[in-house]
Amino acid sequence: MTWSPYYRGDGVRRDVELPEAPPWRKFPRHSQHEQFQPPPGLVEAVNAAVRLRRPLLLRGPAGFGKSTVVEQVAHELDLGPVLRWHITSRSTLRDALYRYDALGRIHAQNLRLARSDSGGDTTEDRDDIADYLQFGPLGTALVPTPSGKPRALLVDEIDKSDLDLPSDLLDVLERGQFEIPELARHAKREIAVRLWDSDDRTHVVNGRISCHEFPFIVLTSNGERDFPEAFLRRCIRFTMPAPTPEMLHRIIDAHLGSGANHDGSALVIEFIERLHRGERLAIDQLLNAVYLLAEQDVPDSGHLRDLLLRELTNG
């Protein structure tokens, strides 16, 4: 392709046809299971986690494909759509297991009482606790599936969690079950609760959920903190190795094809050298640079390369 300045900064309106997006930036987003290239040792770690029914804790810099591992495993083992729990400093175990909208239920009850007091029709009103309950991503992962297979769950960037969250997870990871207190105290013995990111429901008896097959769980960490030993011993741990030139070329070919118009040899060498100097870079930055700098007539390609391969700092 030939470089074209779509935006020119002169304030003139133009009928511009934008180019096709890079394969990894097309929406709606699709799984990258075909493009992911596992580094040496990862296949063995995944199989150990699958065989032992243990979570897989992946450590490594941002942008090295850790979160894509679960997509490839879920596809190869036919585990269905990947459930995702994106960790923040406010994430709690309860929200990951289930969510109960108590305030919404109270508001609905007040509206029903107001209609009743004013003589309004309340025959269609109901107070069903199931309308205000939903499993979270971890809770859904523990719900038995109709096929009997385990589900796949990504717990992304667990480094960002509150200090207590890894310890809070211990009992669930060990026992594979949990209780919903609001249902355990409820008069009805069996209640249908909606699954995460789905309209499907599952029947919960006496407020307890127990998995039949422990889910395949991938936890990702950027290596920014330490975890309790009790948490670590429940995981299969794998650290993503520093990429080699051969590995990077395989990744580039997987995303862009092996055509000569995407030859990024010089960029790969520069990328590796900078990583060895301790700079923080992500592989998707390399893909961006190879993709754009392969175009013809790129003005000031050195400046564009520096822009795309800028170190991942706040500066």
PDB file of all heavy atoms in Angstrom, residues 207-227:
ATOM      1  N   GLY A 207     -29.395 -22.100  47.583  1.00  0.00           N
ATOM      2  CA  GLY A 207     -28.392 -21.038  47.544  1.00  0.00           C
ATOM      3  C   GLY A 207     -26.973 -21.488  47.323  1.00  0.00           C
ATOM      4  O   GLY A 207     -26.045 -20.683  47.475  1.00  0.00           O
ATOM      5  N   ARG A 208     -26.736 -22.765  46.949  1.00  0.00           N
ATOM      6  CA  ARG A 208     -25.375 -23.262  46.810  1.00  0.00           C
ATOM      7  C   ARG A 208     -25.060 -23.655  45.368  1.00  0.00           C
ATOM      8  O   ARG A 208     -25.892 -24.218  44.660  1.00  0.00           O
ATOM      9  CB  ARG A 208     -25.135 -24.470  47.714  1.00  0.00           C
ATOM     10  CG  ARG A 208     -25.210 -24.122  49.195  1.00  0.00           C
ATOM     11  CD  ARG A 208     -24.470 -25.146  50.021  1.00  0.00           C
ATOM     12  NE  ARG A 208     -23.042 -25.147  49.768  1.00  0.00           N
ATOM     13  CZ  ARG A 208     -22.177 -24.278  50.296  1.00  0.00           C
ATOM     14  NH1 ARG A 208     -22.593 -23.319  51.102  1.00  0.00           N
ATOM     15  NH2 ARG A 208     -20.895 -24.368  50.018  1.00  0.00           N
ATOM     16  N   ILE A 209     -23.839 -23.320  44.957  1.00  0.00           N
ATOM     17  CA  ILE A 209     -23.323 -23.693  43.638  1.00  0.00           C
ATOM     18  C   ILE A 209     -22.056 -24.519  43.835  1.00  0.00           C
ATOM     19  O   ILE A 209     -21.150 -24.114  44.576  1.00  0.00           O
ATOM     20  CB  ILE A 209     -23.005 -22.442  42.795  1.00  0.00           C
ATOM     21  CG1 ILE A 209     -24.292 -21.810  42.299  1.00  0.00           C
ATOM     22  CG2 ILE A 209     -22.106 -22.784  41.612  1.00  0.00           C
ATOM     23  CD1 ILE A 209     -25.035 -22.631  41.263  1.00  0.00           C
ATOM     24  N   SER A 210     -21.980 -25.656  43.188  1.00  0.00           N
ATOM     25  CA  SER A 210     -20.779 -26.503  43.223  1.00  0.00           C
ATOM     26  C   SER A 210     -20.450 -26.918  41.803  1.00  0.00           C
ATOM     27  O   SER A 210     -21.324 -27.412  41.077  1.00  0.00           O
ATOM     28  CB  SER A 210     -21.011 -27.754  44.083  1.00  0.00           C
ATOM     29  OG  SER A 210     -21.244 -27.412  45.437  1.00  0.00           O
ATOM     30  N   CYS A 211     -19.205 -26.708  41.397  1.00  0.00           N
ATOM     31  CA  CYS A 211     -18.819 -27.073  40.037  1.00  0.00           C
ATOM     32  C   CYS A 211     -18.687 -28.588  39.928  1.00  0.00           C
ATOM     33  O   CYS A 211     -18.368 -29.269  40.908  1.00  0.00           O
ATOM     34  CB  CYS A 211     -17.524 -26.386  39.624  1.00  0.00           C
ATOM     35  SG  CYS A 211     -16.042 -26.992  40.463  1.00  0.00           S
ATOM     36  N   HIS A 212     -18.950 -29.112  38.736  1.00  0.00           N
ATOM     37  CA  HIS A 212     -18.735 -30.528  38.455  1.00  0.00           C
ATOM     38  C   HIS A 212     -17.369 -30.746  37.810  1.00  0.00           C
ATOM     39  O   HIS A 212     -16.730 -31.771  38.035  1.00  0.00           O
ATOM     40  CB  HIS A 212     -19.840 -31.061  37.542  1.00  0.00           C
ATOM     41  CG  HIS A 212     -21.187 -31.069  38.197  1.00  0.00           C
ATOM     42  ND1 HIS A 212     -22.353 -31.318  37.527  1.00  0.00           N
ATOM     43  CD2 HIS A 212     -21.558 -30.836  39.501  1.00  0.00           C
ATOM     44  CE1 HIS A 212     -23.377 -31.263  38.358  1.00  0.00           C
ATOM     45  NE2 HIS A 212     -22.920 -30.961  39.562  1.00  0.00           N
ATOM     46  N   GLU A 213     -16.957 -29.785  36.996  1.00  0.00           N
ATOM     47  CA  GLU A 213     -15.624 -29.786  36.392  1.00  0.00           C
ATOM     48  C   GLU A 213     -15.004 -28.426  36.660  1.00  0.00           C
ATOM     49  O   GLU A 213     -15.566 -27.401  36.264  1.00  0.00           O
ATOM     50  CB  GLU A 213     -15.690 -30.050  34.884  1.00  0.00           C
ATOM     51  CG  GLU A 213     -15.935 -31.491  34.504  1.00  0.00           C
ATOM     52  CD  GLU A 213     -14.704 -32.371  34.743  1.00  0.00           C
ATOM     53  OE1 GLU A 213     -13.609 -31.809  34.958  1.00  0.00           O
ATOM     54  OE2 GLU A 213     -14.845 -33.596  34.710  1.00  0.00           O
ATOM     55  N   PHE A 214     -13.860 -28.413  37.346  1.00  0.00           N
ATOM     56  CA  PHE A 214     -13.229 -27.131  37.667  1.00  0.00           C
ATOM     57  C   PHE A 214     -12.889 -26.390  36.381  1.00  0.00           C
ATOM     58  O   PHE A 214     -12.342 -26.986  35.442  1.00  0.00           O
ATOM     59  CB  PHE A 214     -11.963 -27.348  38.491  1.00  0.00           C
ATOM     60  CG  PHE A 214     -11.408 -26.085  39.075  1.00  0.00           C
ATOM     61  CD1 PHE A 214     -11.984 -25.533  40.202  1.00  0.00           C
ATOM     62  CD2 PHE A 214     -10.325 -25.441  38.485  1.00  0.00           C
ATOM     63  CE1 PHE A 214     -11.479 -24.347  40.744  1.00  0.00           C
ATOM     64  CE2 PHE A 214      -9.826 -24.263  39.016  1.00  0.00           C
ATOM     65  CZ  PHE A 214     -10.405 -23.716  40.150  1.00  0.00           C
ATOM     66  N   PRO A 215     -13.233 -25.108  36.297  1.00  0.00           N
ATOM     67  CA  PRO A 215     -13.007 -24.360  35.046  1.00  0.00           C
ATOM     68  C   PRO A 215     -11.522 -24.211  34.720  1.00  0.00           C
ATOM     69  O   PRO A 215     -10.663 -24.289  35.602  1.00  0.00           O
ATOM     70  CB  PRO A 215     -13.655 -23.001  35.332  1.00  0.00           C
ATOM     71  CG  PRO A 215     -13.684 -22.886  36.821  1.00  0.00           C
ATOM     72  CD  PRO A 215     -13.851 -24.276  37.344  1.00  0.00           C
ATOM     73  N   PHE A 216     -11.250 -23.993  33.437  1.00  0.00           N
ATOM     74  CA  PHE A 216      -9.882 -23.651  33.040  1.00  0.00           C
ATOM     75  C   PHE A 216      -9.730 -22.150  33.252  1.00  0.00           C
ATOM     76  O   PHE A 216     -10.362 -21.340  32.563  1.00  0.00           O
ATOM     77  CB  PHE A 216      -9.619 -24.014  31.578  1.00  0.00           C
ATOM     78  CG  PHE A 216      -8.253 -23.593  31.115  1.00  0.00           C
ATOM     79  CD1 PHE A 216      -7.116 -24.216  31.588  1.00  0.00           C
ATOM     80  CD2 PHE A 216      -8.107 -22.544  30.219  1.00  0.00           C
ATOM     81  CE1 PHE A 216      -5.855 -23.815  31.184  1.00  0.00           C
ATOM     82  CE2 PHE A 216      -6.857 -22.133  29.796  1.00  0.00           C
ATOM     83  CZ  PHE A 216      -5.727 -22.775  30.291  1.00  0.00           C
ATOM     84  N   ILE A 217      -8.894 -21.780  34.216  1.00  0.00           N
ATOM     85  CA  ILE A 217      -8.744 -20.376  34.616  1.00  0.00           C
ATOM     86  C   ILE A 217      -7.334 -19.904  34.286  1.00  0.00           C
ATOM     87  O   ILE A 217      -6.355 -20.551  34.663  1.00  0.00           O
ATOM     88  CB  ILE A 217      -9.010 -20.195  36.123  1.00  0.00           C
ATOM     89  CG1 ILE A 217     -10.430 -20.638  36.480  1.00  0.00           C
ATOM     90  CG2 ILE A 217      -8.806 -18.728  36.526  1.00  0.00           C
ATOM     91  CD1 ILE A 217     -10.741 -20.545  37.971  1.00  0.00           C
ATOM     92  N   VAL A 218      -7.251 -18.786  33.590  1.00  0.00           N
ATOM     93  CA  VAL A 218      -5.974 -18.128  33.340  1.00  0.00           C
ATOM     94  C   VAL A 218      -5.975 -16.804  34.089  1.00  0.00           C
ATOM     95  O   VAL A 218      -6.875 -15.970  33.894  1.00  0.00           O
ATOM     96  CB  VAL A 218      -5.737 -17.886  31.842  1.00  0.00           C
ATOM     97  CG1 VAL A 218      -4.510 -16.995  31.629  1.00  0.00           C
ATOM     98  CG2 VAL A 218      -5.547 -19.209  31.108  1.00  0.00           C
ATOM     99  N   LEU A 219      -5.005 -16.623  34.977  1.00  0.00           N
ATOM    100  CA  LEU A 219      -4.812 -15.356  35.676  1.00  0.00           C
ATOM    101  C   LEU A 219      -3.570 -14.695  35.086  1.00  0.00           C
ATOM    102  O   LEU A 219      -2.522 -15.338  34.978  1.00  0.00           O
ATOM    103  CB  LEU A 219      -4.619 -15.571  37.177  1.00  0.00           C
ATOM    104  CG  LEU A 219      -5.670 -16.395  37.911  1.00  0.00           C
ATOM    105  CD1 LEU A 219      -5.136 -17.784  38.204  1.00  0.00           C
ATOM    106  CD2 LEU A 219      -6.085 -15.717  39.214  1.00  0.00           C
ATOM    107  N   THR A 220      -3.682 -13.440  34.707  1.00  0.00           N
ATOM    108  CA  THR A 220      -2.516 -12.759  34.141  1.00  0.00           C
ATOM    109  C   THR A 220      -1.964 -11.750  35.139  1.00  0.00           C
ATOM    110  O   THR A 220      -2.704 -11.134  35.910  1.00  0.00           O
ATOM    111  CB  THR A 220      -2.862 -12.028  32.827  1.00  0.00           C
ATOM    112  OG1 THR A 220      -3.708 -10.892  33.100  1.00  0.00           O
ATOM    113  CG2 THR A 220      -3.554 -12.969  31.852  1.00  0.00           C
ATOM    114  N   SER A 221      -0.639 -11.621  35.105  1.00  0.00           N
ATOM    115  CA  SER A 221       0.060 -10.698  36.000  1.00  0.00           C
ATOM    116  C   SER A 221       1.195 -10.047  35.225  1.00  0.00           C
ATOM    117  O   SER A 221       1.911 -10.717  34.486  1.00  0.00           O
ATOM    118  CB  SER A 221       0.614 -11.463  37.214  1.00  0.00           C
ATOM    119  OG  SER A 221       1.591 -10.694  37.897  1.00  0.00           O
ATOM    120  N   ASN A 222       1.344  -8.755  35.407  1.00  0.00           N
ATOM    121  CA  ASN A 222       2.448  -8.030  34.786  1.00  0.00           C
ATOM    122  C   ASN A 222       3.702  -8.053  35.648  1.00  0.00           C
ATOM    123  O   ASN A 222       4.680  -7.355  35.361  1.00  0.00           O
ATOM    124  CB  ASN A 222       2.047  -6.582  34.497  1.00  0.00           C
ATOM    125  CG  ASN A 222       0.967  -6.489  33.439  1.00  0.00           C
ATOM    126  OD1 ASN A 222       0.800  -7.391  32.619  1.00  0.00           O
ATOM    127  ND2 ASN A 222       0.200  -5.397  33.460  1.00  0.00           N
ATOM    128  N   GLY A 223       3.676  -8.846  36.727  1.00  0.00           N
ATOM    129  CA  GLY A 223       4.845  -8.973  37.589  1.00  0.00           C
ATOM    130  C   GLY A 223       5.093  -7.761  38.458  1.00  0.00           C
ATOM    131  O   GLY A 223       6.222  -7.506  38.883  1.00  0.00           O
ATOM    132  N   GLU A 224       4.023  -6.996  38.753  1.00  0.00           N
ATOM    133  CA  GLU A 224       4.185  -5.755  39.495  1.00  0.00           C
ATOM    134  C   GLU A 224       4.027  -5.940  41.001  1.00  0.00           C
ATOM    135  O   GLU A 224       4.164  -4.986  41.755  1.00  0.00           O
ATOM    136  CB  GLU A 224       3.173  -4.721  38.988  1.00  0.00           C
ATOM    137  CG  GLU A 224       3.395  -4.340  37.523  1.00  0.00           C
ATOM    138  CD  GLU A 224       2.315  -3.430  36.981  1.00  0.00           C
ATOM    139  OE1 GLU A 224       1.340  -3.170  37.729  1.00  0.00           O
ATOM    140  OE2 GLU A 224       2.436  -2.983  35.827  1.00  0.00           O
ATOM    141  N   ARG A 225       3.693  -7.166  41.453  1.00  0.00           N
ATOM    142  CA  ARG A 225       3.528  -7.400  42.886  1.00  0.00           C
ATOM    143  C   ARG A 225       3.744  -8.869  43.185  1.00  0.00           C
ATOM    144  O   ARG A 225       3.735  -9.720  42.292  1.00  0.00           O
ATOM    145  CB  ARG A 225       2.137  -6.966  43.360  1.00  0.00           C
ATOM    146  CG  ARG A 225       1.023  -7.724  42.680  1.00  0.00           C
ATOM    147  CD  ARG A 225      -0.343  -7.337  43.174  1.00  0.00           C
ATOM    148  NE  ARG A 225      -0.667  -7.949  44.466  1.00  0.00           N
ATOM    149  CZ  ARG A 225      -1.898  -7.946  44.982  1.00  0.00           C
ATOM    150  NH1 ARG A 225      -2.874  -7.340  44.336  1.00  0.00           N
ATOM    151  NH2 ARG A 225      -2.142  -8.520  46.132  1.00  0.00           N
ATOM    152  N   ASP A 226       3.937  -9.161  44.467  1.00  0.00           N
ATOM    153  CA  ASP A 226       4.058 -10.543  44.925  1.00  0.00           C
ATOM    154  C   ASP A 226       2.706 -11.018  45.437  1.00  0.00           C
ATOM    155  O   ASP A 226       1.855 -10.220  45.841  1.00  0.00           O
ATOM    156  CB  ASP A 226       5.106 -10.649  46.032  1.00  0.00           C
ATOM    157  CG  ASP A 226       6.506 -10.315  45.531  1.00  0.00           C
ATOM    158  OD1 ASP A 226       6.797 -10.641  44.365  1.00  0.00           O
ATOM    159  OD2 ASP A 226       7.292  -9.719  46.307  1.00  0.00           O
ATOM    160  N   PHE A 227       2.540 -12.348  45.444  1.00  0.00           N
ATOM    161  CA  PHE A 227       1.299 -12.950  45.915  1.00  0.00           C
ATOM    162  C   PHE A 227       1.589 -13.881  47.082  1.00  0.00           C
ATOM    163  O   PHE A 227       2.705 -14.413  47.223  1.00  0.00           O
ATOM    164  CB  PHE A 227       0.623 -13.721  44.775  1.00  0.00           C
ATOM    165  CG  PHE A 227       0.228 -12.863  43.617  1.00  0.00           C
ATOM    166  CD1 PHE A 227       0.963 -12.877  42.444  1.00  0.00           C
ATOM    167  CD2 PHE A 227      -0.882 -12.031  43.702  1.00  0.00           C
ATOM    168  CE1 PHE A 227       0.606 -12.079  41.371  1.00  0.00           C
ATOM    169  CE2 PHE A 227      -1.248 -11.225  42.632  1.00  0.00           C
ATOM    170  CZ  PHE A 227      -0.504 -11.248  41.471  1.00  0.00           C
TER     171      PHE A 227
END
